[in-house]
Amino acid sequence: LLVRAARGEKVERTPVWMMRQAGRYMAAFRAYSDKIPFRERSETPDYAVELSLQCHRAYGMDGIIMFSDILTPLPVLGIDFDVVKGTGPVISTSVRTEEDVNSMPRISFDEKVPFIAETLQRLSKEAEDANTSLIGFVGAPFTLASYTIEGKSSKNCLETKKLMMADETGENKCISLFLDKLATMIGEYGCHQIENGAQIIQVFESWAHQLSPAGFEKYANPAAKKAIAIIKEKHPDVPVIYFANGGSSYLELQKDMGCDMICLDWAVDMAQARKILGPEVPVSGNLDPSVLFGTKEQIEQAVRDCIDKAGGPGCHLLNLGHGVMQGTPEEAVKWLVDEVKRYK
């Protein structure tokens, strides 16, 4: 159902999954996350498989998403990172010059991230047994580039923007070269996930809110497009969803991404987004995650409103407009999933 909807087909009811559906709002998830460091959890197939499946067992979403991180494949380019509790990802590799990019190695996924293939293969079997879809995901080139350049999460992405300005004057082409190298690697990483069982790939442009429309058009869009084209060329039948978090102010620039579906953040009205993109562009999204802190009635009404604005039951893929927030009541997630399935 999810795969057909992601291809843009009209389906019998609206399917649903949620970004960060495998997350700390679940007590069963915290039993692992409170004790085991993030990279160990995401890079050990036994843990990653269990954490991917918990929410599906509990709430029956229409898709299982692999528990992993957008930064996971960076070591294949010789970029080291760690995830520090309370701080988030920290990247130690410096990328500031053309030489920094040109000297990057390209190591195989099987050598550097062998756990991805095993995790996906095992999840693929679980998804088949549960009659559900398996979602893989990648970070978009601009987001991975800026994460690496800034070294950690950043309020204003200044080092990256300085490199964009130096690129425009021609004095330092680091950012263009880096985006190109990342686009190739990410495209191949998406293919690697599909070859190990993923049936859908979502591309996360998590830092789109850092970009002006012009910056998006010049840097993020072409690089993401290249990554998506690599996936679609090799696997034309596997749907690719593109999500630019904070990118709803320039939706018109996302019409030509080459993906099968655009995932919308919660800062745009669903009906308005439909109007901007046009009826031929399939969409997913875009409930405000904080709705899940409301009453059962408020959640159910928000679900119906979103589905109606998207064109009615079966006309889009329902998701949140960002990840499930920490502290979200578990019963609220159940209410949301149940209402999506009920509303036909």
Side-chain angles (χ1 to χ4, degrees):
L1 183 72
L2 194 76
V3 175
R4 286 188 287 129
R7 285 197 192 113
E9 295 175 26
K10 172 106 168 67
V11 287
E12 49 275 25
R13 68 162 170 84
T14 300
V16 56
W17 74 278
M18 282 174 268
M19 296 184 263
R20 292 214 193 108
Q21 62 184 29
R24 282 177 291 189
Y25 71 95
M26 287 186 77
F29 183 95
R30 292 194 300 277
Y32 287 80
S33 66
D34 289 348
K35 295 191 203 112
I36 304 161
F38 179 83
R39 281 195 68 175
E40 189 183 336
R41 270 180 286 140
S42 62
E43 298 182 9
T44 308
D46 285 350
Y47 295 146
V49 168
E50 170 60 22
L51 293 170
S52 304
L53 292 173
Q54 286 176 338
C55 55
H56 184 267
R57 285 198 295 259
Y59 314 114
M61 292 89 171
D62 292 301
I64 296 166
I65 184 162
M66 162 177 76
F67 177 71
S68 183
D69 193 82
I70 58 172
L71 304 181
T72 296
L74 287 177
V76 306
L77 295 177
I79 298 166
D80 285 318
F81 76 95
D82 200 10
V83 179
V84 179
K85 210 175 166 122
T87 308
V90 177
I91 295 174
S92 48
T93 309
S94 172
V95 180
R96 288 288 185 282
T97 66
E98 295 172 24
E99 183 43 39
D100 288 340
V101 179
N102 291 332
S103 61
M104 283 176 186
R106 177 63 175 87
I107 308 158
S108 77
F109 297 116
D110 286 332
E111 189 180 328
K112 267 298 185 195
V113 289
F115 47 86
I116 291 291
E118 187 187 333
T119 299
L120 281 166
Q121 286 163 16
R122 285 168 59 179
L123 283 174
S124 178
K125 189 176 175 338
E126 295 277 359
E128 200 175 326
D129 293 347
N131 193 24
T132 192
S133 307
L134 177 57
I135 306 160
F137 70 94
V138 298
F142 174 79
T143 293
L144 294 191
S146 42
Y147 237 128
T148 306
I149 291 160
E150 302 299 328
K152 59 182 189 305
S153 195
S154 162
K155 268 204 169 65
N156 48 29
C157 235
L158 199 54
E159 295 307 318
T160 308
K161 290 186 174 180
K162 285 183 197 166
L163 283 176
M164 285 158 65
M165 290 184 272
D167 181 84
E168 280 166 23
T169 62
E171 72 179 272
N172 180 357
K173 287 290 181 191
C174 170
I175 187 89
S176 283
L177 293 170
F178 193 25
L179 286 170
D180 195 59
K181 188 162 272 201
L182 281 167
T184 302
M185 183 274 281
I186 289 160
E188 290 167 353
Y189 184 50
C191 293
H192 179 69
Q193 291 185 27
I194 292 164
E195 283 143 24
N196 285 289
Q199 296 168 292
I200 297 170
I201 298 289
Q202 179 146 314
V203 180
F204 282 86
E205 190 72 87
S206 307
W207 287 24
H209 62 285
Q210 300 281 11
L211 286 164
S212 67
F216 177 80
E217 193 168 22
K218 184 158 188 199
Y219 292 100
N221 177 311
K225 242 197 278 203
K226 177 175 174 172
I228 292 166
I230 290 169
I231 299 170
K232 292 304 292 183
E233 193 177 332
K234 210 165 173 195
H235 300 283
D237 296 333
V238 175
V240 176
I241 304 172
Y242 179 75
F243 174 57
N245 177 42
S248 53
S249 65
Y250 43 77
L251 276 179
E252 67 285 352
L253 300 177
Q254 295 173 45
K255 277 184 179 179
D256 66 343
M257 301 301 301
C259 57
D260 298 270
M261 177 174 264
I262 295 290
C263 182
L264 304 162
D265 66 31
W266 56 268
V268 63
D269 179 77
M270 175 58 83
Q272 189 58 28
R274 273 295 215 200
K275 213 179 282 176
I276 294 165
L277 289 167
E280 69 291 340
V281 177
V283 295
S284 67
N286 74 334
L287 288 181
D288 179 344
S290 62
V291 163
L292 288 167
F293 290 85
T295 64
K296 184 169 190 273
E297 289 67 33
Q298 285 172 314
I299 291 166
E300 290 172 348
Q301 188 61 53
V303 164
R304 293 191 296 271
D305 288 348
C306 183
I307 289 173
D308 288 345
K309 286 181 173 185
C315 289
H316 94 301
L317 199 171
L318 193 123
N319 203 324
L320 301 178
H322 200 280
V324 181
M325 292 159 76
Q326 219 174 324
T328 294
E330 292 196 42
E331 62 186 0
V333 174
K334 184 171 175 9
W335 294 336
L336 183 147
V337 173
D338 288 351
E339 182 60 16
V340 180
K341 290 183 165 183
R342 190 198 64 76
Y343 191 49
K344 291 191 177 126

